């Protein structure tokens, strides 16, 4: 691949990753996880393409020095924006994970609490049980049969 084409591809792929990660962060912050799932296959493909092109650029150490100042500035700007979004994306993913864990724990706690309130037959049958309604008992009494 020609050096100029390689740099153009790197700029384009980085730009697409920036746009995709921006959408992903917006979806995470709005708790639209179903929208995040839709982006994952494209994100994985772009990440593989980015990794491949970066590996190729690194094989040519003098390449970046030969770039025109405007192209060098554009590439540097995209790289900085990408790095900033990586940090923001990680923070948004962690926050979404924590929210999901708290919701799941609250649901599990509610299920456990609701199960504690329900007694079964075993609770009533146990000797000396104080839980549940007590079975009616006969009151002691005597019958006087004398006229």
């Amino acid at each position: 691949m020609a050096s100029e084409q390689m740099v153009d591809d790197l700029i384009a792929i980085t730009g697409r990753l920036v746009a995709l990660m921006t959408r992903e962060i917006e979806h995470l912050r709005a708790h639209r996880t179903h929208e995040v799932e839709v982006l994952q296959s494209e994100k994985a493909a772009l990440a593989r393409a980015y990794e491949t092109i970066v590996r190729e650029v690194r094989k040519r150490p003098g390449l970046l020095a030969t770039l025109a100042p405007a192209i060098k500035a554009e590439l540097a700007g995209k790289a900085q924006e990408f790095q900033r979004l990586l940090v923001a994306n990680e923070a948004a993913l962690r926050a979404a994970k924590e929210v999901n864990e708290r919701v799941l724990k609250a649901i599990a706690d509610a299920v456990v609490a609701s199960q504690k309130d329900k007694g079964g037959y075993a609770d009533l049958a146990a000797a000396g049980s104080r839980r549940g309604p007590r079975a009616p008992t006969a009151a002691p009494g005597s019958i006087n049969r004398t006229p």
Side-chain angles (χ1 to χ4, degrees):
M1 180 183 297
S3 298
E4 193 173 297
Q5 182 63 48
M6 192 181 311
V7 172
D8 288 345
D9 289 349
L10 180 57
I11 291 170
I13 291 168
T14 305
R16 289 179 59 196
L17 271 169
V18 163
L20 186 136
M21 289 177 64
T22 300
R23 283 185 306 192
E24 183 178 54
I25 291 167
E26 289 169 359
H27 293 321
L28 286 166
R29 289 179 178 160
H31 307 290
R32 293 189 306 256
T33 54
H34 60 283
E35 297 291 336
V36 173
E37 290 176 34
V38 172
L39 300 175
Q40 295 314 298
S41 62
E42 183 182 2
K43 183 180 176 183
L46 286 171
R48 283 190 302 272
Y50 179 83
E51 183 180 358
T52 300
I53 198 86
V54 165
R55 200 175 309 126
E56 288 299 315
V57 167
R58 286 185 179 153
K59 288 180 183 176
R60 301 176 187 188
L63 174 65
L64 298 178
T66 65
L67 295 178
I71 293 175
K72 202 182 286 190
E74 183 180 7
L75 182 58
K78 293 280 187 204
Q80 287 174 351
E81 188 175 9
F82 181 57
Q83 291 301 316
R84 182 186 59 78
L85 282 171
L86 282 174
V87 172
N89 187 264
E90 181 184 12
L93 285 168
R94 283 182 199 266
K97 180 182 177 212
E98 289 172 8
V99 166
N100 287 336
E101 287 173 350
R102 282 195 307 263
V103 168
L104 187 59
K105 183 177 180 339
I107 291 169
D109 290 348
V111 169
V112 168
S114 73
Q115 296 300 315
K116 286 182 181 176
D117 295 340
K118 295 179 182 177
Y121 290 116
D123 287 342
L124 297 176
S129 174
R130 298 279 185 226
R131 292 186 63 184
R134 299 185 106 196
T137 57
S142 64
I143 299 176
N144 186 355
R145 294 189 182 218
T146 55

